[in-house]
Amino acid sequence: MLLTALAGACTAFAALLAVALVTAPSRMVMPWSARVGGAVMLAGLTLTAWQHVGLAALGATDAPPWSYGAGLFAQSWGFYALLSGVLQPADRRRGLVIAGGALSAALAVLVPPIWAIPVSLTLGTAYALHLGALVYRLRATRRWFRVELPVVLAFAVMGLGVGVAGALTPRAIPWDLFALAYSVQMAAGFLLVSALLLLVPDLATKTQEAVSTSYAQSSLGRVDVAQATERLRRLFEDEHLYRDEDLGLAKLARRVDLSPHQLSELLNVRFGESFSKFVRRHRVAAASRMLIDEPRASVLSVGLSVGFGSQSTFYAAFKEETGLVPGEFRRRNLPSDHSGNVQVVD
């Protein structure tokens, strides 16, 4: 019963992450290998979770079915392909990812089922360690580096732990205990990823900005920088594009007729800002005007109208830019001839 409940929970988490993966194109650029890897990873995790229900019924002399090992190899490679695509430029060569896929497929066929667990999860640990090295490269440009790296390393440790347990099963650890322990760990992994995405909702976009900066080689040689800067000005000052809550680096790059890498470099060179800070500055400036010009409007409605997705993100961004929360800013700056006649809405 517990294994079935855990499998259902993992399936629900996988479905939610699949939706996020499908909707990602509007917010960032990802290579085909990363999208394929994400789909393979989620399919492999879902298959593994449900196979644990049958695995628990195996006897001490039984081996897991071939499909169980295949699912483990699939999820390990998919995890690597997805995150390596996010942590490196989209146009970077994918030779290592393709080679890893070929190796995982070959091992899934050649490794005896009884050894599929330790071999696949040891390989997954190696993948996670390489991802940790990619995250470490971004340490100078990512404020959340100290959060992301421990998460990746935690997955490496989890994979190694399950691999060791798999090597001891069924001689020292019965199948039902192994299946339960691994299912609990999978559910914990999904919760960990979900918590990270809640903590940093624009994690993918900010990571892509860090990647563009970290791997930067000047891409503006043939770009009319003055013209591109003027297009940016029109989009933000005349068309108020910052009001688009779903505005991402890739989406803005298409509007400016640049690649995401070029746009990121342009913002850093001409404005000394990242994409996130550039958009945030315009949103806060617009909100500052609205707070004074429209004193009857609630603070939340002001934040949503300029493109912030929630009150918490609006308050955090506004205070970081101005040093004050929106309500206090309004009280301090509302003209005295309005303060006595108009009810100020926080």
Side-chain angles (χ1 to χ4, degrees):
M1 182 67 73
L2 181 56
L3 285 173
T4 302
L6 288 170
C10 290
T11 302
F13 276 121
L16 291 175
L17 291 177
V19 171
L21 185 64
V22 170
T23 57
S26 64
R27 299 187 63 83
M28 65 181 297
V29 174
M30 293 174 63
W32 65 267
S33 58
R35 300 197 185 281
V36 171
V40 169
M41 177 191 72
L42 294 175
L45 286 168
T46 303
L47 174 64
T48 300
W50 285 106
Q51 284 193 319
H52 281 160
V53 178
L55 204 69
L58 293 180
T61 59
D62 295 329
W66 174 85
S67 58
Y68 183 75
L72 295 179
F73 281 109
Q75 63 178 269
S76 297
W77 174 81
F79 175 75
Y80 176 66
L82 173 63
L83 290 192
S84 66
V86 173
L87 295 171
Q88 297 179 95
D91 56 356
R92 196 168 179 84
R93 294 183 64 181
R94 301 293 164 194
L96 194 57
V97 172
I98 295 172
L103 175 61
S104 294
L107 291 175
V109 174
L110 298 175
V111 172
I114 194 64
W115 285 103
I117 298 173
V119 172
S120 63
L121 291 167
T122 300
L123 181 61
T125 300
Y127 286 150
L129 290 175
H130 183 236
L131 293 173
L134 295 179
V135 173
Y136 185 76
R137 175 170 180 162
L138 306 179
R139 65 192 182 281
T141 53
R142 283 292 292 121
R143 183 167 62 93
W144 287 98
F145 161 73
R146 293 184 179 180
V147 174
E148 295 158 351
L149 184 60
V151 169
V152 173
L153 294 180
F155 278 114
V157 172
M158 290 163 65
L160 184 60
V162 174
V164 171
L168 298 175
T169 305
R171 295 185 303 277
I173 300 175
W175 283 116
D176 57 346
L177 182 58
F178 171 82
L180 179 60
Y182 192 11
S183 293
V184 169
Q185 185 168 289
M186 288 174 62
F190 275 120
L191 285 173
L192 185 61
V193 171
S194 300
L196 182 60
L197 293 177
L198 287 173
L199 182 65
V200 195
D202 54 352
L203 175 65
T205 302
K206 289 184 175 180
T207 300
Q208 188 175 52
E209 294 173 34
V211 168
S212 296
T213 301
S214 180
Y215 288 84
Q217 296 179 353
S218 182
S219 56
L220 299 177
R222 298 184 180 181
V223 173
D224 188 330
V225 174
Q227 186 180 65
T229 303
E230 176 59 20
R231 283 199 295 268
L232 268 178
R233 187 199 66 77
R234 288 199 306 269
L235 287 170
F236 277 75
E237 296 182 10
D238 299 339
E239 300 183 28
H240 309 298
L241 188 62
Y242 54 81
R243 293 176 177 170
D244 181 359
E245 181 185 340
D246 295 323
L247 184 64
L249 181 67
K251 189 173 186 178
L252 179 58
R254 289 193 294 270
R255 294 293 300 272
V256 188
D257 197 25
L258 297 175
S259 71
H261 189 175
Q262 289 172 326
L263 175 59
S264 182
E265 184 175 352
L266 176 67
L267 291 171
N268 277 280
V269 170
R270 294 303 295 264
F271 299 95
E273 295 178 320
S274 67
F275 165 79
S276 296
K277 185 169 177 57
F278 181 78
V279 175
R280 184 185 68 193
R281 176 169 58 83
H282 280 83
R283 287 174 175 169
V284 169
S288 300
R289 294 190 294 268
M290 288 185 65
L291 287 169
I292 305 306
D293 295 342
E294 302 178 28
R296 292 185 181 277
S298 69
V299 169
L300 177 58
S301 67
V302 170
L304 296 178
S305 67
V306 299
F308 289 103
S310 67
Q311 180 172 302
S312 60
T313 55
F314 174 40
Y315 270 59
F318 197 95
K319 186 170 185 179
E320 188 167 348
E321 287 288 323
T322 68
L324 300 171
V325 295
E328 181 65 20
F329 176 89
R330 170 181 268 171
R331 281 189 287 272
R332 290 191 183 188
N333 292 279
L334 194 66
S336 58
D337 58 338
H338 284 75
S339 59
N341 300 317
V342 176
Q343 181 180 4
V344 179
V345 179
D346 288 341

